[in-house]
């Protein structure tokens, strides 16, 4: 289906946002995902959100890793910048892009395999840095791109394509992921506050100054 271009037929009655753009201006290429895949519903929501927020397409940066979910940036905001990174390494690319230009809108699309298995460490550090981006994890509990193995978030009793059920609880429960993220951020904040950080950020410079002052008084 990749060789079939999406027809550029725009209904004259489509509403326009403050930039004079319709929702069609925020679409991308035709989806090649399986029929009925939930990732396409997520894509539709992202397209609608960008349109309603009056976002300039050329000021959007789309980032992804590897997997079915990481194909979806192709399907929205065709005029945006984009980078498809290595498996689980999308947050590092996003960190570098943010450092180079903080004036853009960053959106990272990832999956449960890309972010909760091989990329779990990268996700933790993105949280620790409080990275300025929208991080979307499209969780379906399975490695869909490699034909159906269980992922780190697969529910107990989930059956594979061969009919085998997973006997173990997921290492990361989707429902508790937000709480886990908050704990990771708090732990990182405590570790930073107790260290003599010498980076160029004002907050860190202030902590380093207070730490050195306290040590001299002691």
């Amino acid at each position: 289906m990749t060789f079939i271009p999406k027809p550029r037929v725009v209904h004259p009655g489509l509403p326009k946002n403050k930039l004079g753009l319709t929702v069609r201006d925020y679409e991308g290429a035709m989806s090649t995902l399986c029929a009925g895949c939930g990732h396409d519903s997520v894509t539709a929501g992202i397209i609608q959100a960008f349109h309603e927020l009056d976002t300039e397409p050329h000021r959007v940066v789309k980032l992804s890793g590897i997997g079915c979910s990481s194909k979806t940036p192709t399907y929205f905001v065709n005029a945006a910048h984009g980078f498809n990174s290595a498996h689980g390494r999308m947050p590092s690319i996003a960190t570098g892009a943010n450092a180079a230009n903080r004036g853009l809108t960053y959106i990272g699309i990832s999956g449960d395999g890309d972010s909760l298995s091989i990329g779990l460490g990268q996700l933790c550090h993105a949280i620790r840095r409080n990275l300025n981006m929208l991080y979307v994890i499209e969780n379906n509990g399975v490695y869909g791109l490699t034909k159906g193995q269980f992922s780190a978030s697969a529910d107990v009793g989930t059956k594979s394509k061969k009919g085998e059920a997973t006997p173990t609880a997921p290492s990361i429960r989707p429902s508790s992921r937000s709480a886990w993220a908050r704990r990771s951020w708090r732990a990182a904040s405590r570790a930073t506050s107790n260290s003599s950080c010498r980076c160029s950020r004002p907050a860190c410079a202030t902590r380093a100054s207070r730490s050195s002052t306290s040590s001299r008084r002691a």
Side-chain angles (χ1 to χ4, degrees):
M1 293 291 289
T2 53
F3 60 90
I4 302 177
K6 181 177 287 187
R8 283 295 303 172
V9 179
V10 180
H11 192 279
L14 282 178
K16 296 182 179 181
N17 60 14
K18 294 180 180 179
L19 301 175
L21 302 175
T22 69
V23 70
R24 291 299 308 274
D25 294 308
Y26 292 89
E27 293 179 353
M30 185 176 291
S31 175
T32 59
L33 297 173
C34 300
C37 180
H39 294 344
D40 286 331
S41 298
V42 176
T43 299
I46 292 172
I47 291 171
Q48 189 67 32
F50 274 128
H51 176 255
E52 293 179 2
L53 291 171
D54 307 313
T55 307
E56 296 178 289
H58 68 279
R59 299 193 63 80
V60 174
V61 179
K62 307 177 296 184
L63 303 154
S64 63
I66 297 295
C68 290
S69 58
S70 296
K71 295 174 65 178
T72 58
T74 306
Y75 312 139
F76 64 86
V77 195
N78 198 40
H81 307 280
F83 193 95
N84 184 230
S85 68
H87 197 12
R89 303 301 185 262
M90 180 268 290
S92 294
I93 304 299
T95 301
N98 264 276
N101 191 338
R102 298 178 185 273
L104 301 177
T105 299
Y106 294 90
I107 176 171
I109 307 294
S110 187
D112 41 315
D114 196 51
S115 281
L116 304 182
S117 293
I118 191 171
L120 183 59
Q122 296 267 326
L123 174 60
C124 290
H125 285 293
I127 296 169
R128 180 178 65 83
R129 298 186 188 104
N130 197 20
L131 204 55
N132 182 26
M133 69 178 297
L134 172 63
Y135 198 120
V136 180
I137 299 179
E138 299 181 349
N139 172 51
N140 57 6
V142 68
Y143 297 143
L145 195 62
T146 51
K147 310 307 178 189
Q149 300 95 328
F150 296 123
S151 77
S153 61
D155 294 327
V156 178
T158 300
K159 291 186 177 181
S160 68
K161 295 171 70 175
K162 296 181 179 179
E164 300 171 348
T166 174
T168 58
S171 54
I172 298 177
R173 294 183 180 275
S175 59
S176 63
R177 190 176 299 124
S178 58
W180 165 78
R182 287 194 298 271
R183 288 196 298 270
S184 300
W185 183 85
R186 287 168 184 163
S189 299
R190 286 195 297 271
T192 303
S193 63
N194 293 330
S195 65
S196 56
C197 181
R198 302 290 180 179
C199 76
S200 59
R201 290 183 295 173
C204 291
T206 301
R207 279 198 296 267
S209 175
R210 290 175 179 173
S211 177
S212 60
T213 303
S214 299
S215 62
R216 285 197 300 271
R217 288 176 179 173

